[in-house]
Amino acid sequence: SQQGEEDPQALSIQEGENATMNCSYKTSINNLQWYRQNSGRGLVHLILIRSNEREKHSGRLRVTLDTSKKSSSLLITASRAADTASYFCATVPGTASKLTFGTGTRLQVTL
Amino acid sequence: EAGVTQSPTHLIKTRGQQATLRCSPISGHTSVYWYQQALGLGLQFLLWYDEGEERNRGNFPPRFSGRQFPNYSSELNVNALELEDSALYLCASSSQGQRGTEAFFGQGTRLTVV
């Protein structure tokens, strides 16, 4: 079963708008990571947030983590058509040492 | 610096055959992970190799196997191929396991079983 579940499954917005994706997970984690996948190719790491961090920024990306709710959100500000991709959250649960991925959010940014 | 490389890019096999997929990690990375991504689905963890040994295995039948070589490159073998094995197979590498660091992914091998 998936450790992480992203919401929504799909999101369509216009260029310039902000996109928010949420991720919920089930067990305690060491860290949570967000990845991006273009057109069924390899995944690209976007950002890692550790369990003792609450918020992290990287360029137009902002990630929050609420360990009490076992949830995280990824905000992409001022979206561009090039941001069109699938976004996955991944967690390293507890004592495990492998990334467990969610089902992903498909983001479509239109001109 | 070269990233994670996978070969071949595409592979078409007939049901019942065997497939071999290859992965070269980033230089200096000792851990290699294999994931299966069926069309439209998330990534399912297959195998984790570190320092030449299998460290963890996902919920897949024994006909999915692999190995890691002394130079840390890895092979994934799928025996007795079934139609449902058609998927994108992704390899990732990291240093010292994925616990605290990001994973770097290859572009994947798209396996089609006909």
Side-chain angles (χ1 to χ4, degrees), chain A residues 2 31 35 37 40 95 99, chain B residues 35 37 44 88 98-99 103:
Chain A
Q2 296 290 339
N31 65 67
Y35 287 80
Q37 183 180 39
T95 57
L99 279 171
Chain B
Y35 290 85
Q37 185 179 31
Q44 300 292 330
L88 180 68
Q98 291 176 327
R99 170 175 286 279

Side-chain angles (χ1 to χ4, degrees), chain B residues 2-72:
Chain B
V4 177
T5 57
Q6 291 186 246
S7 62
T9 305
H10 293 85
L11 187 60
I12 300 176
K13 290 284 190 177
T14 303
R15 189 170 51 183
Q17 287 187 317
Q18 179 200 34
T20 298
L21 288 63
R22 297 179 177 82
C23 172
S24 293
I26 288 174
S27 177
H29 285 185
T30 62
S31 282
V32 171
Y33 300 78
W34 287 95
Y35 290 85
Q36 181 197 66
Q37 185 179 31
L39 188 63
L41 299 180
L43 281 74
Q44 300 292 330
F45 169 73
L46 267 167
L47 290 160
W48 169 31
Y49 292 97
D50 183 62
E51 298 284 358
E53 294 190 12
E54 182 180 302
R55 302 292 185 181
N56 204 340
R57 181 182 180 85
N59 189 25
F60 280 84
R63 56 192 187 81
F64 286 84
S65 65
R67 54 179 172 168
Q68 186 178 35
F69 299 98
N71 65 355
Y72 303 118

Side-chain angles (χ1 to χ4, degrees), chain A residues 18-36:
Chain A
N18 295 341
T20 299
M21 289 160 267
N22 302 297
C23 168
S24 60
Y25 56 92
K26 299 174 183 175
T27 65
S28 62
I29 60 171
N30 180 282
N31 65 67
L32 185 144
Q33 304 178 30
W34 285 90
Y35 287 80
R36 165 195 168 124

